[in-house]
Amino acid sequence: MKILLPFLGVIGVVMVAFVGVELLNLRYLFGIIIPYAAFITFMAGVILHVLKWGRSAVPFCIPTTSGQQKSFPWVKRDRLDNPSDNLEVIGRMALEVFLFRSLFSNTSSSLKEDEGRLIHGSSKWLWGAGLAFHWTFFIVVFRHLRLFVDPIPSVLYLVDSLDGLMQLGVPVLYWTGLILLGSATYLFIRRVFIPQVRYISLPNDHFPLLLIIAIVLSGLLMRYFLKVDIIYVKDLTVGLFSLKPVITHNLGLIFYIHLFLVSVLLAYFPFSKLMHAAGVLLSPTRNMPNNSRRVRHINPWNYPVKVHTYEEYEDDFRDKMKKAGIPVEKE
Amino acid sequence: MSNSKSEELSSDIKYTLPEEDWMDVPVRMKKGMYCHGANENSLITVGFPNPRQWSSSETNWKLPENWQDIVLTGMAERLEKYRSFHIFMDICVRCGACADKCHFFLGTGDPKNMPVLRAELLRSIYRREFTTAGKLFGKFAGARELNEEVLREWWYYFFQCTECRRCSVFCPYGIDTAEITMIARELLNLLGLNIEWIAGPVANCYMKGNHLGLEPHTITSSVEFLTDEIEELTGIKIEPTFNRKGAEILFVTPSGDLFADPGTYTCMGYLMLFHELGLDYTWSTYASEGGNFGSFTSNEMGKRLNSKIYAEAKRLGVKWILGGECGHMWRVLNQYMDTWNGPADFLEVPVSPITGTVFENASSTKMVHISEFTADLLKHDRLEIAPSRNDHYKVTYHDSCNTSRGMGLLEEPRYIIKKVCNNFFEMPEHTIREKTFCCGSGSGLNASENMEMRLRGGFPRANAVKYVKNKYDVDMLACICAIDRAALTTIMDYWVPGVRVIGVTELLANAMKMKGENNRQTDLRGDPLLGAEGGDAEEESEDV
Amino acid sequence: MSDKSKVIYLLVIFCAVAAFPFLYNSLSTPVNAKIELNTPVIDAMKVKQCIVPKEEMRRDHMKILNRWRDEVVRDSHREFGNIDGVMYEKSLQRTCMHCHSNKSEFCDRCHAYASVDVYCWDCHLAPKENKP
């Protein structure tokens, strides 16, 4: 049920696009209105969510220190895993965001039940698949800029030619598309077949993965098999990104399915765990330097508290203190 | 080398999962896996809300009428006060990297001890009450209703987390279950649902200055007892001072060090070291606790207890503060104290009176860790060390959770150990430093009624110790944490009999030659030294 | 830099990235993607008809050319009969470019518009055009 429901959800999304475009001929709705609505939802949703996080205070300096602190000059410190200033934090964050450094150090523990022995080993599968997924996703989105802007900046030609380096087939095969499909599929299969991960997964863990897989599949189908007229597609997309959208020609169902899936992903994004993309940048255990003994961190809501003062303590124990030879304030 | 006792617990650890979804698995509180509820009086002493006599093993917890309101209002307030909490509620993707990182999961196989599910216990309520998706789609969005069953689950599982932060090291977003557990315990505390093993020490510490409730005269006599021991061993009479105004340094250590061995040996180590250096320092009976069980119940209580350290430093007019070996004490001192009760502008930037080293890294908090202080001494050769006096031990080192993942004090204690003993062996790489395993009894869970859970939680640590015991004959587990010294002793007795626990400063004191001392025949705990006259070396005969 | 301002900077960067294509398009001059069909040869045709229908050609010309190349190079199969039974030679230069002799106004305009980097001309000679 946890997997079936999101699967049906994605099928449903495809069906809606099919019915809307093919049967009801609502091309203006699916080609222009919904994409705009989704984009606005995405932008507003992300901004409001981040502002909401931003309103929450950061009362304490609580970095997770994963390496040696800065103490003496003669002790080799770990600048990246235990940053002591903002520059080092930027280094730590950059490695975290671009290379998933924490996940790189992942281990896997297993129990030899007969001997009662725990074995811990390095485990890099999740790191590798996660990294491949996010990077190829980014490149694919970046590559799509060629359809969004006119004329095309030369950097896009470079990315395009690198991505199609092997010149396989016509149109040239983009290897990022395949890797994206492969890694997303791996991540999904992992969620379904590794018992622990399946157990902790929620329907809204499966849904975005399946949605992305559907987006990739529809994109691949459109480029390599079902074919759409890319010039007409670009007329629409450039129109969308120039705020002068027009639908001049029949663009083919597969295009509308692809576009609607993307719209759903955009609109879903701010209300889901996909916000991790922004959240990781604000995570206090990663984005703070471990310098709280050197620089006082200020808690904006620090307030005075009731304490048991020394005077009260001495009043409680004066006689005992005097007998024990401990100096007191009041004789 | 396995014994039948330890096979009992390890044999029923299975990482198989229930058929039902975790939300459909009701909490089953197993005796030996949870602590006694807090006494009414403990809560009254510090003015905690909803004090009452209740029992955690009974079904009726005598909750206040409007308990749901209290919890939800408390959550709303904390979402604004703690960005950590707010973000950690939102961004988990359930990738599963943390799943097998928790010592309690590895020791029980209970999926709700996976850090991700521990957090989901709270997150599911957050979604239901604070997110649109959760309100609209309920269970399909991972949301559920807050009811008494959920509350019991919270209580059971958030007192099965030692706030060790191991999961946070591996999380790609740094989600820290310690942070979530802290908030959850604050919420439980609003309902008076504390545990006595925390609430009792908190009340003691508030009124008497330390968790154990040692009154001033008891503290002096405990220390006197230790100085007598030292005199017997070395022939040197040490006379430490208490609450002395005008001393250069205030020394604060967990009260556990005064109370029971092997902590007392570490305490003897401090006394011997400071005497040998001729340090101008004083103990305080008012600020006689370095640890902070208050931080295990609420941020505010942590601050209330911690305030005594600066207050006493100010009253006595010391220049700076030196802190003893303790784990969570240093999480608090490193990441909270200055923010709570600073600025300590009445103190001076700490300078070692022996070496002249300025402790720049503590220039605002003005509190230095004993291992930093000692490592600096050894680096400058200011102590005469005979490492052979630790030759009768084969030592490994356990990083305490808080000093490693909440501070990064990894090299200093190792530097000391390598200087003062010849037989040092590291445990496997995935079980030390920032990946160290908890003792299983931290964050106030060291209660005897919680024994099965503690033993299970200590299993991964014990396992790594067993590895070096089998490989190198390791028989001493060194640490810089008072709770470790108490807890790991029990853990070792159960899982790896024959391995004892020792403070790093005790190792130092064993090896440190004092001016005018007798020819020592034994170490601090009376074990004969290797090669000492009258000492028997039968164990070592196998060494070639 | 205060913590709140960091959040604001973050959002400003986010908005700037999202706004980029809109700003770029509003400031740039669009390329002329209109293909020019008026060559002397085409103008002289009575029935202006390509080898297959226009829509199919727009969508699939790259596939047809790719297939032609394989068939000619590997099988020496040089004849292409279209749906009406008209025979054409499978040749880019002698068939396609015979009519569409204006590469820069025909091939290149669309390809530039859609950033398609074709490798036809790695081997083939581009026809000489009479540039005005």
Side-chain angles (χ1 to χ4, degrees), chain A residues 43 47 50-51 54-55 146 148-153 157 160 170 224 227 229 231-232 234-235 240-242, chain C residues 4 7 10-11 14-15 18 21-22 24-25 28-31 58-60 62-63 66 110 112-115 119:
Chain A
M43 293 301 295
I47 291 169
V50 170
L51 283 176
R55 270 205 304 276
R146 79 186 172 105
F148 303 161
V149 297
D150 178 36
I152 295 163
Y157 280 105
D160 251 25
V170 172
Y224 301 107
K227 305 296 297 173
D229 190 312
I231 303 301
Y232 296 153
K234 184 160 179 177
D235 286 345
L240 285 170
F241 280 98
S242 310
Chain C
K4 304 263 185 231
V7 173
L10 206 70
L11 287 174
F14 171 67
C15 291
F22 294 97
Y24 183 92
N25 285 343
S28 66
T29 324
V31 298
R58 285 184 64 104
R59 213 173 50 225
D60 289 335
M62 74 295 286
K63 283 188 165 177
N66 206 43
C110 277
Y113 183 57
S115 107
Y119 50 84

Side-chain angles (χ1 to χ4, degrees), chain B residues 83 221 284:
Chain B
R83 186 179 297 165
S221 61
S284 165

